[in-house]
Amino acid sequence: MSPRRTPRSDAAPAPLTPRERRRNRVAAVVALVTVWVLLWGSFTWADLVSGLAVAAVVLTVFPLPPVTFTGHVHPPGALRFALRFLLDLVVSSFQVAALAFRIGHTPRSAIIAVPLRVRSDLNLTLTAEALCLVPGSIVIDVDRAAGTLYVHVLGVRDRAEADRFRQSVWQLEARIIAAIGSAAERRLIAASASPPPSA
């Protein structure tokens, strides 16, 4: 039995097996097609087929560095993530619309550093993608070594609201790990009574 991989390790990572390489390629194709369909804003067979074609070209012409997926999909966690993500989309859309139609009011914004607890490349990518898809926030920089996202957030007026947004990102990270995280990543989230301090 091969040793289990952890999200971060100082030792050199073991080479991927053919099965792991196939699984990672399938995960990359699914992620690229999902982003493609979301960008078009509709789901049709033409969007699906064109997304598969684009994913094939991207992975062939621009091969991605290996991102090891150590977990597996947990249906209850994935369902909770999907439902909460849809709710966040609706609520954030109304909040941004309300800010846009407030006459004579200039909305304030902030750039907030959010250090994540699980510092794997996959978790950084998925958390950043989820944040960028929700109106009102966009990731402008990523510190891969420190596992920190720098997020531009609309409508932040004081430090208390910045702290609340940071807490919401940690809750988003926890939902992502609950949906697709490994046992070690889920234990890490559960053991983190308080998230890491902000930069």
Side-chain angles (χ1 to χ4, degrees):
M1 181 180 291
S2 60
R4 298 180 68 85
R5 292 184 176 88
T6 57
R8 281 283 181 183
S9 175
D10 295 331
L16 298 179
T17 65
R19 180 181 178 183
E20 289 173 329
R21 284 196 294 269
R22 286 194 299 271
R23 182 178 65 174
N24 290 349
R25 183 169 289 271
V26 169
V29 169
V30 170
L32 289 171
V33 171
T34 301
V35 172
W36 178 263
V37 172
L38 289 173
L39 288 174
W40 281 106
S42 63
F43 179 80
T44 63
W45 288 110
D47 292 333
L48 180 61
V49 172
S50 61
L52 289 171
V54 169
V57 171
V58 168
L59 293 176
T60 302
V61 179
F62 307 103
L64 300 173
V67 176
T68 303
F69 177 57
T70 58
H72 61 276
V73 176
H74 307 279
L79 179 61
R80 284 193 296 269
F81 168 78
L83 292 176
R84 179 55 188 269
F85 180 73
L86 291 175
L87 177 63
D88 288 344
L89 280 177
V90 174
V91 172
S92 296
S93 297
F94 277 105
Q95 289 174 339
V96 171
L99 285 174
F101 285 102
R102 287 183 64 179
I103 299 175
H105 172 72
T106 302
R108 301 182 65 181
S109 60
I111 297 175
I112 303 173
V114 186
L116 301 183
R117 291 162 288 183
V118 177
R119 298 181 180 180
S120 68
D121 290 340
L122 183 61
N123 183 54
L124 282 170
T125 302
L126 292 179
T127 305
E129 288 288 347
L131 285 172
C132 289
L133 290 172
V134 173
S137 62
I138 185 168
V139 177
I140 60 173
D141 196 10
V142 178
D143 187 339
R144 183 183 178 194
T148 300
L149 301 178
Y150 294 89
V151 191
H152 181 273
V153 188
L154 188 64
V156 174
R157 293 170 294 184
D158 53 33
R159 184 176 295 274
E161 290 188 351
D163 290 337
R164 282 197 294 272
F165 175 80
R166 193 176 289 112
Q167 289 287 342
S168 72
V169 176
W170 285 323
Q171 292 167 4
L172 170 64
E173 177 194 22
R175 290 193 294 272
I176 290 174
I177 295 301
I180 63 166
S182 66
E185 291 170 339
R186 289 158 70 94
R187 285 194 299 269
L188 176 61
I189 293 293
S192 299
S194 59
S198 61

